[in-house]
Amino acid sequence: MKEYKGFAPNEIFDLILEWAVIPTFDLIIEYGDEGVILVKRKIAPYKNQWALPGLRMLKGESIDATLTRIAQQEVGLNINPKDKIMLSQFVGKFNTENNRQDLSTGYLIKVSDGNPIVLNKNHFSAYSVIKQIPTSNIGAMYKYYLELYKK
């Protein structure tokens, strides 16, 4: 069986978005005692809004490999995916990109605050470590996961 290890070219991904639901994973990364890492997105969906680090699963990946890749590629952190705690799932429907629909799974991961955060500058313009959930300028699915985390 052929193993796929990358993102589909844009023209193919546009077709996928037209016909399929995209499996994505979003991480609540508890950064020591400081709080949770939020990132400000540069790309759709949720462009210019606060979000949790997250990406879609690539064909051939396990869930643990996907979570590890997300933490490393999006915020430069090494995690132990065996310590993950599944929070819930959320169906995101967007008016962008062929009416994209994602099935997101949210996980809680804890890391030491001694590890430096290295932001993916292609995806994010800023980050913040927060203790309070923002009341505005945050995507609905991220707010949902943060509210579950705070319970």
Side-chain angles (χ1 to χ4, degrees):
M1 182 170 150
K2 185 175 178 181
E3 189 171 321
Y4 297 88
K5 293 208 176 231
F7 293 108
N10 286 339
E11 61 277 1
I12 293 173
F13 189 60
D14 285 342
L15 286 172
I16 293 168
L17 288 174
E18 186 175 339
W19 296 99
V21 174
I22 306 300
T24 62
F25 295 86
D26 293 292
L27 300 179
I28 288 187
I29 301 175
E30 194 175 274
Y31 194 62
D33 293 331
E34 291 185 41
V36 171
I37 299 171
L38 285 187
V39 290
K40 192 155 200 182
R41 290 179 60 98
K42 284 183 171 180
I43 56 177
Y46 296 119
K47 186 175 181 175
N48 296 320
Q49 293 187 32
W50 289 105
L52 296 168
L55 290 168
R56 62 186 177 266
M57 176 183 255
L58 300 178
K59 191 168 184 176
E61 279 186 320
S62 67
I63 290 172
D64 286 356
T66 302
L67 300 180
T68 300
R69 178 176 56 83
I70 291 168
Q72 184 56 232
Q73 287 182 357
E74 298 296 77
V75 291
L77 295 173
N78 293 317
I79 63 164
N80 183 352
K82 302 293 184 209
D83 296 335
K84 69 186 178 293
I85 299 169
M86 183 179 166
L87 296 172
S88 188
Q89 293 184 304
F90 187 94
V91 175
K93 296 180 182 180
F94 309 101
N95 292 328
T96 61
E97 306 171 296
N98 293 316
N99 292 315
R100 176 179 178 156
Q101 183 174 339
D102 291 359
L103 173 59
S104 166
T105 305
Y107 284 95
L108 169 63
I109 298 283
K110 298 178 182 185
V111 298
S112 166
D113 58 6
N115 297 308
I117 297 170
V118 180
L119 206 58
N120 180 338
K121 296 290 186 179
N122 292 323
H123 293 177
F124 311 120
S125 60
Y127 77 88
S128 183
V129 180
I130 57 114
K131 289 194 183 247
Q132 298 293 324
I133 301 171
T135 57
S136 63
N137 202 31
I138 184 166
M141 94 171 109
Y142 309 119
K143 188 172 182 180
Y144 170 75
Y145 289 137
L146 288 167
E147 287 171 350
L148 287 175
Y149 164 74
K150 287 292 186 181
K151 287 186 180 179

